[in-house]
Amino acid sequence: MVLLGGCLLLDHVDRIPMRAARPPKSMTTIEDFRVWKGPAIKGTGTYESAGVTYTVVLAPAGRHLASGPSAYLFDAEGRFVDWTSDMGDFPTVRLGFDLTSGGVKNIQRQKP
């Protein structure tokens, strides 16, 4: 029980993964994202909402006990739209998209 409590505390106190997942204010395009994350990119997929299809790029989660990777959404022109630090537990920050339960389709994993 103490070990579990320690893990939960670490997840809330240690902000290093969140800082690494939070997009820089200067990031406005998918090209900027690729420069920023580079080899840390885990894969890409698509997400559709209200007839609009977004490109979703997956990267390491923004917390230690995450149930999914961080996810970054880009519109058809490659402009940055939204993100979440843990797509398994949290909706996207601005638009509140729920990317869980197969919401992200056509996932193509990056080769290490």
Side-chain angles (χ1 to χ4, degrees):
M1 190 58 131
V2 172
L3 181 61
L4 176 62
C7 288
L8 292 174
L9 181 63
L10 175 66
D11 198 39
H12 289 288
V13 172
D14 186 2
R15 299 295 181 204
I16 292 171
M18 180 57 84
R19 280 192 300 246
R22 182 175 286 117
K25 293 188 187 317
S26 62
M27 188 182 83
T28 59
T29 67
I30 199 166
E31 292 82 19
D32 294 340
F33 177 83
R34 290 196 167 123
V35 167
W36 174 52
K37 281 297 179 187
I41 294 172
K42 295 178 165 237
T44 59
T46 58
Y47 178 78
E48 187 175 327
S49 177
V52 178
T53 300
Y54 300 91
T55 297
V56 179
V57 185
L58 309 175
R63 58 194 208 123
H64 292 290
L65 300 175
S67 62
S70 60
Y72 305 82
L73 282 74
F74 299 88
D75 67 15
E77 285 78 41
R79 292 180 298 234
F80 176 62
V81 175
D82 207 351
W83 76 290
T84 179
S85 62
D86 175 355
M87 70 179 253
D89 288 333
F90 303 125
T92 61
V93 174
R94 287 188 33 232
L95 301 173
F97 291 154
D98 178 3
L99 305 179
T100 61
S101 302
V104 178
K105 309 283 186 204
N106 307 314
I107 296 175
Q108 302 293 313
R109 300 283 179 196
Q110 297 293 111
K111 298 202 192 276

